[in-house]
Amino acid sequence: MVQGAFNNTVLVDSDAVVDWNVVGGSANAHDVIGNSVTIGGNAQVGSSAYGGQTLFGDANGNSVTISGNATIGLSVFGGFSDSGAAMGNSVTISGGTINSSLIVGGDGGMMVTGNTVTISGAPVFTSTPELYGGRCHVGGCSDIFTGNTLNLKTAGLAVASLQNFEYLNFYLPTSLASGQTMLSVSGIADLTNGSGGSSIVNVGINGAASALAAGDTITLIHAGTLVTDADLNDTATGSGMLGVTLSYVFDIGIAGNNLTATVQGSSVTEESKALSEGVVSGASFVNQGADLAAGKGMANAISAAEAGWSSFGAVSGGSIRTETGSHVDVEGVSLMAGLSGDADLSIGRLTAGVFAEYGSGAYDTFNGFSSGDVRGQGDSTYIGGGLLGHMDFDAAGPGHAYAEASVRFGNANNSFSSADLVSGGVAAGYDTASLYAGASAAVGYVWNLSEATTIDVSGKVLWSRLGSDTVQLTTGETVEFDAVTSERTRLGARVSYALSEQVTPYAGAAWEHEFDGKAGATTNGLALDAPSMGGDTGILEAGLTLTPSDDLPLSIDLGLQGFVGQREGIAGSFQARLTF
């Protein structure tokens, strides 16, 4: 039977008052592993808090979390062993009043490594505690430095000493300005392991903070005595981030008993390009709606108008990959429905219609960078309406010419998130809401090769614009997305052959060129790398128009399109029209 204390949980919150020690898991001669203490609300603990406590076993993977308005009277230990190892323990403080004399990630008698202390929010330290990543309880420990980490996410705190942290991660809060101090240490701040090793200093920046300028200096630690090694930080510089969009180069230096970080310069991260892929995905999906309106929707409106003012509709769905320098994959369904009618003019037959449209889809994005791959995902919807018109000119030669146009407008919503873009443990994401507008124009000629066979040759211009929007990322920083303008031309031909009055198959091919489709964005006045939908696409299509019975005024159109080149994938369409 395994003895010890494993994976126990103690919760002290609300208005609880505890005068003794609060311990997640305790054992005299055995291990304490994976235990936790959470203290929050208005709880008052008069003594100490231990995630795990043992005399002769190991204390590994235990934790203490303090938040809210809680009050702690004495010491805080993530894990404590009188004579064993203390590894992988953690203390997390995000609020409360800390009267402790000691805040210790791990305290042991052998190996004391891999422990973490994280301080954020607005806790009050009333007694300037000693702050340890690792602490040797009885002396003779083999290692009390390696892997121990301090994550400091608040400024203005004061402690008595700082010792045994291999990693010092400073996250500069929004309120901290150039020339101010993150942490004051009244006694010794020892940034060595006592035998030639040195702490690694990293600087992060809260995403909502104003961008620091070159030459700005932050005092990371102001100490009574600062102990450093010649190899502090391994190099003369450290890198920092403003959320997930800006990268800073800091000169980590020593000025008397101060550890400082001076901004050498800043630039947008290459990974920030992935944020704009979400906007490209939304624009690509709006374009799929444009294809439906100018294609199957237009054809169905023309057919419906033959019976006078009639309703029409069309549905299209598929999965399309758009190359953007990397790529986005959009899967969705677009619908449109409306009324159309016709009129005979001196030059031919005019069809006009009004329609409403809606689309809903999901997408995935992919970018490959020198630092690794960044994947994202999101959802897109649009809702709007428009007008369309088609003019069949009187016969000229073996067929007739035609011209058509459409306009559309509405609102598009888009959400994006990426678990590969993370700042301070928060994944980057945003939501946008933008107006969109679009227009198409086409000219063509329907050539009657025989009574059963026709060839439709056409040229189209399709224009759309997804409006700009300014968002605040979940990581804090503000990004301004430019409007995305798509300008496409399409040349194509379709052959139809009437097998009978009920069955007409068709096939076609087209070449499309996208001139623009660039999704620009800026943050803090700096431009992000912009993905683009520009390029050439080949389109193949095949379909079947069915009229099941002369006695039933029902027609059905089933179509399939394949895309190669800038756009790749497959889309299907369906139309059914019943005329009364």
Side-chain angles (χ1 to χ4, degrees):
M1 179 178 179
V2 178
Q3 293 181 319
F6 304 94
N7 303 317
N8 298 291
T9 299
V10 175
L11 174 62
V12 185
D13 62 2
S14 298
D15 296 316
V17 177
V18 180
D19 293 328
W20 53 87
N21 292 341
V22 176
V23 183
S26 179
N28 286 328
H30 302 286
D31 296 339
V32 291
I33 298 175
N35 305 286
S36 66
V37 169
T38 300
I39 304 170
N42 296 310
Q44 298 182 43
V45 176
S47 192
S48 298
Y50 298 82
Q53 180 187 45
T54 182
L55 294 178
F56 302 106
D58 294 336
N60 299 332
N62 305 285
S63 66
V64 174
T65 301
I66 302 169
S67 63
N69 297 312
T71 300
I72 307 297
L74 293 179
S75 301
V76 180
F77 297 88
F80 178 94
S81 174
D82 192 70
S83 57
M87 298 186 295
N89 304 287
S90 67
V91 173
T92 302
I93 301 173
S94 61
T97 300
I98 314 300
N99 300 317
S100 307
S101 58
L102 288 171
I103 298 175
V104 183
D107 192 320
M110 297 174 62
M111 185 82 70
V112 188
T113 58
N115 303 287
T116 302
V117 176
T118 300
I119 304 173
S120 63
V124 176
F125 289 180
T126 62
S127 58
T128 56
E130 297 180 69
L131 195 57
Y132 288 88
R135 182 171 181 264
C136 191
H137 187 65
V138 295
C141 297
S142 57
D143 187 350
I144 57 173
F145 183 77
T146 302
N148 295 322
T149 300
L150 172 65
N151 298 312
L152 186 61
K153 302 180 179 182
T154 189
L157 294 178
V159 297
S161 67
L162 176 74
Q163 299 181 59
N164 302 329
F165 288 101
E166 182 180 16
Y167 298 101
L168 296 170
N169 299 325
F170 295 91
Y171 297 85
L172 311 186
T174 302
S175 58
L176 196 69
S178 178
Q180 295 184 323
T181 300
M182 280 289 287
L183 180 67
S184 296
V185 182
S186 59
I188 295 175
D190 190 347
L191 309 188
T192 73
N193 70 354
S195 58
S198 177
S199 297
I200 306 298
V201 179
N202 296 297
V203 182
I205 302 172
N206 186 309
S210 298
L212 291 172
D216 287 349
T217 297
I218 296 293
T219 299
L220 302 175
I221 298 175
H222 170 68
T225 301
L226 185 66
V227 180
T228 62
D229 185 85
D231 293 327
L232 177 68
N233 213 48
D234 291 336
T235 65
T237 62
S239 62
M241 296 285 293
L242 173 62
V244 297
T245 56
L246 292 186
S247 176
Y248 286 82
V249 176
F250 290 93
D251 178 31
I252 306 300
I254 306 298
N257 285 316
N258 295 325
L259 176 69
T260 63
T262 301
V263 178
Q264 299 300 297
S266 65
S267 62
V268 294
T269 65
E270 62 171 354
E271 295 84 359
S272 62
K273 176 187 176 183
L275 298 169
S276 296
E277 300 285 5
V279 176
V280 166
S281 299
S284 176
F285 192 49
V286 168
N287 276 356
Q288 291 183 38
D291 292 342
L292 179 62
K296 294 297 185 181
M298 181 75 74
N300 208 12
I302 296 168
S303 298
E306 294 174 358
W309 280 96
S310 299
S311 62
F312 70 92
V315 180
S316 176
S319 176
I320 304 295
R321 169 170 292 184
T322 301
E323 299 295 332
T324 63
S326 292
H327 64 255
V328 299
D329 297 326
V330 182
E331 297 181 354
V333 176
S334 298
L335 308 91
M336 63 178 296
L339 293 172
S340 64
D342 64 354
D344 289 325
L345 305 179
S346 60
I347 58 174
R349 176 172 170 264
L350 174 65
T351 299
V354 59
F355 62 89
E357 63 179 2
Y358 174 77
S360 179
Y363 64 84
D364 296 295
T365 69
F366 174 85
N367 292 85
F369 301 108
S370 60
S371 59
D373 296 340
V374 175
R375 292 174 170 83
Q377 55 281 319
D379 299 294
S380 289
T381 61
Y382 67 84
I383 185 169
L387 303 170
L388 57 81
H390 176 94
M391 184 71 196
D392 279 318
F393 296 101
D394 291 336
H400 71 276
Y402 65 86
E404 60 189 27
S406 69
V407 294
R408 49 197 291 267
F409 47 87
N411 187 75
N413 293 281
N414 185 40
S415 65
F416 172 86
S417 65
S418 174
D420 294 326
L421 294 174
V422 179
S423 175
V426 178
Y430 60 81
D431 295 304
T432 64
S434 305
L435 297 177
Y436 71 87
S440 70
V443 294
Y445 187 84
V446 178
W447 185 9
N448 300 314
L449 294 179
S450 67
E451 290 186 3
T453 306
T454 61
I455 297 179
D456 183 345
V457 180
S458 65
K460 291 184 179 180
V461 176
L462 300 104
W463 174 90
S464 69
R465 183 177 178 86
L466 180 64
S468 61
D469 196 13
T470 299
V471 303
Q472 185 175 44
L473 303 182
T474 53
T475 48
E477 63 267 46
T478 298
V479 177
E480 298 176 357
F481 290 113
D482 298 338
V484 181
T485 300
S486 171
E487 298 172 346
R488 294 179 288 159
T489 57
R490 186 183 297 172
L491 299 174
R494 175 191 289 180
V495 178
S496 301
Y497 180 75
L499 292 174
S500 66
E501 293 184 358
Q502 285 75 39
V503 181
T504 302
Y506 59 85
W511 167 67
E512 178 183 280
H513 181 72
E514 169 67 75
F515 290 90
D516 199 346
K518 181 177 290 186
T522 58
T523 182
N524 287 287
L526 299 175
L528 280 59
D529 288 343
S532 172
M533 298 186 291
D536 297 304
T537 300
I539 305 171
L540 299 175
E541 68 169 341
L544 192 66
T545 300
L546 302 173
T547 305
S549 170
D550 292 338
D551 299 327
L552 181 63
L554 172 68
S555 65
I556 297 173
D557 186 291
L558 300 172
L560 192 66
Q561 288 184 314
F563 302 82
V564 293
Q566 189 71 13
R567 293 198 289 163
E568 299 177 349
I570 192 168
S573 62
F574 172 79
Q575 301 175 79
R577 181 171 58 86
L578 182 62
T579 305
F580 297 95

